[in-house]
Amino acid sequence: MFYFGRKRVAWSIHDYLIAAAPYLVWIALFFSFPGRKDIGNISEPVLLGLIAPAVLLVRLLYGKRRGCAVLSIINLIAYCCFAVVMFFTTELIPE
């Protein structure tokens, strides 16, 4: 996405944070609530990875219009909130 959108979009630091921030949020929650998840729930970050292109596609379609930095921040916050919601709504998957 970053390669194909290099001429259409001026990527900001917030767009690059989409690659790491939701995973860090999920990992922080994983270690903060040790009895809530087990090693079987490691597939949840894979689902986060499948949704990342959709989040970046929204940014790519918006292009270089005014307010693109605000959209990047909104995308990042929404994606991190999705990681939190997914963490708390998915049940424990035992080994």
Side-chain angles (χ1 to χ4, degrees):
M1 282 283 207
F2 289 115
Y3 178 76
F4 293 117
R6 68 184 185 279
K7 293 182 182 176
R8 178 164 169 71
V9 177
W11 299 107
S12 68
I13 188 68
H14 305 103
D15 295 316
Y16 293 111
L17 283 174
I18 287 176
Y23 300 105
L24 294 175
V25 168
W26 191 89
I27 290 170
L29 290 171
F30 183 81
F31 288 114
S32 296
F33 299 97
R36 186 156 177 94
K37 299 288 180 181
D38 199 9
I39 198 73
N41 290 90
I42 296 298
S43 62
E44 289 180 30
V46 174
L47 293 175
L48 281 174
L50 294 174
I51 295 169
V55 174
L56 289 176
L57 185 63
V58 170
R59 178 69 176 89
L60 187 64
L61 293 175
Y62 195 73
K64 293 182 182 178
R65 298 181 200 155
R66 176 180 280 182
C68 61
V70 174
L71 180 66
S72 296
I73 293 170
I74 290 171
N75 277 348
L76 180 63
I77 291 170
Y79 197 33
C80 288
C81 288
F82 178 76
V84 171
V85 168
M86 185 176 65
F87 181 85
F88 286 112
T89 58
T90 307
E91 297 180 11
L92 174 72
I93 301 172
E95 288 182 40

